[in-house]
Amino acid sequence: MARRRRPTVEGSATKTLDELESAGDRIVLWLAENQRALISIAVGILLVAGGWGYVSTTARESSDQADTALSEVQNGYRLAMGAAPGSVSIPEPANPEAAREIREDYTARYAEVGEAHAGSGPGGVAYLESGKLQQALGDYEAAVVAYRAGVDSLPEEDALRGFLWSRMGSAYEQSDQWAEAAAAYAMAGALQRYALRAGAQADAIRAYIHAGETSTALGAADVLARAEPDFALPEFLQSRLDELRIAAVSD
């Protein structure tokens, strides 16, 4: 049974991902493997616009059939929720029960696209969308299942796996499974082609702290600092790490 959606907490990856995806949730950026140098620029442009970029290395990413299937479900969901044609935002229906039924319906429709086009970029995005709707319904266990199916369907170095791992971490986080959340975020952070991997590593550090794995959190913070010297942790997280370091020296 679906559980009521829990509010996001300070530093929540769900909140961050929602902000990144809100304005450009339907933007899909396809880059061939030999265009790797453009990844940072493209993602930067999309983030400025409030969107997110999808960078895939899959061989089937240009499949017209998969693109069409995903587009049909996306457009159908937007219209069912009451979005105006061409509008970026998706409104929340005034009737909560109607909104729930629409999400339940399109969760299944997205999953069907994912299954039918597993291994392709559109198939991976479909699993991502299915999981997000499950999270909106408060069914975090089902969301994890959708994200894991998406991860398992894609090649190991596909950057979309980073979004799926991060979303999986946020679903675990919302159900207070902090150790599992940390592991999922760490998987996203370890994916070299995932442009937001430093942020995912920061989420892993935060989750390790909540899980009581302070030594692992401190070690992960050291690794991140060496790998990404220009990346700044959120102030609240840096302050917490400083407190833990002082406590570790005092013991």
Side-chain angles (χ1 to χ4, degrees):
M1 178 179 293
R3 290 168 289 179
R4 190 170 67 177
R5 188 176 186 181
R6 297 179 59 234
T8 55
V9 298
E10 183 178 32
S12 168
T14 304
K15 178 180 178 181
T16 301
L17 288 167
D18 282 341
E19 290 172 350
L20 293 179
E21 296 169 3
S22 60
D25 206 16
R26 302 301 178 257
I27 297 174
V28 179
L29 176 64
W30 308 110
L31 292 178
E33 192 168 357
N34 62 347
Q35 293 176 304
R36 180 183 247 176
L38 298 179
I39 291 176
S40 297
I41 297 174
V43 170
I45 292 172
L46 288 169
L47 295 185
V48 169
W52 60 274
Y54 164 48
V55 184
S56 175
T57 60
T58 64
R60 297 171 55 195
E61 64 186 7
S62 62
S63 168
D64 290 339
Q65 185 177 7
D67 288 336
T68 299
L70 175 62
S71 179
E72 287 177 351
V73 176
Q74 288 176 324
N75 291 335
Y77 174 67
R78 293 173 62 81
L79 292 175
M81 292 292 281
S87 174
V88 172
S89 61
I90 300 178
E92 185 68 20
N95 186 332
E97 180 62 21
R100 183 188 65 79
E101 291 179 356
I102 292 169
R103 288 191 170 100
E104 289 179 342
D105 180 20
Y106 278 88
T107 289
R109 295 193 190 194
Y110 274 121
E112 289 173 359
V113 173
E115 292 170 4
H117 302 284
S120 70
V125 173
Y127 278 123
L128 181 69
E129 296 292 343
S130 179
K132 286 167 57 182
L133 291 183
Q134 293 285 16
Q135 278 187 273
L137 289 166
D139 193 342
Y140 309 124
E141 183 177 350
V144 167
V145 171
Y147 297 140
R148 190 170 297 281
V151 166
D152 292 343
S153 74
L154 295 167
E156 289 187 2
E157 295 304 314
D158 195 306
L160 181 54
R161 285 165 61 99
F163 284 101
L164 288 157
W165 279 121
S166 289
R167 275 286 176 180
M168 189 186 303
S170 73
Y172 278 130
E173 177 178 333
Q174 288 181 299
S175 56
D176 292 325
Q177 298 181 71
W178 290 103
E180 291 82 358
Y185 289 138
M187 290 297 292
L191 187 59
Q192 290 300 310
R193 296 183 67 87
Y194 182 41
L196 305 180
R197 63 182 179 277
Q201 291 176 53
D203 285 325
I205 293 167
R206 179 173 53 82
Y208 283 131
I209 293 173
H210 278 282
E213 301 178 28
T214 56
S215 60
T216 303
L218 291 172
D222 290 339
V223 171
L224 177 57
R226 290 193 297 269
E228 302 285 348
D230 296 328
F231 179 80
L233 290 171
E235 185 175 348
F236 78 91
L237 181 56
Q238 185 61 62
S239 296
R240 182 59 180 143
L241 287 169
D242 291 341
E243 293 172 358
L244 291 174
R245 292 187 194 283
I246 292 173
V249 172
S250 300
D251 289 344

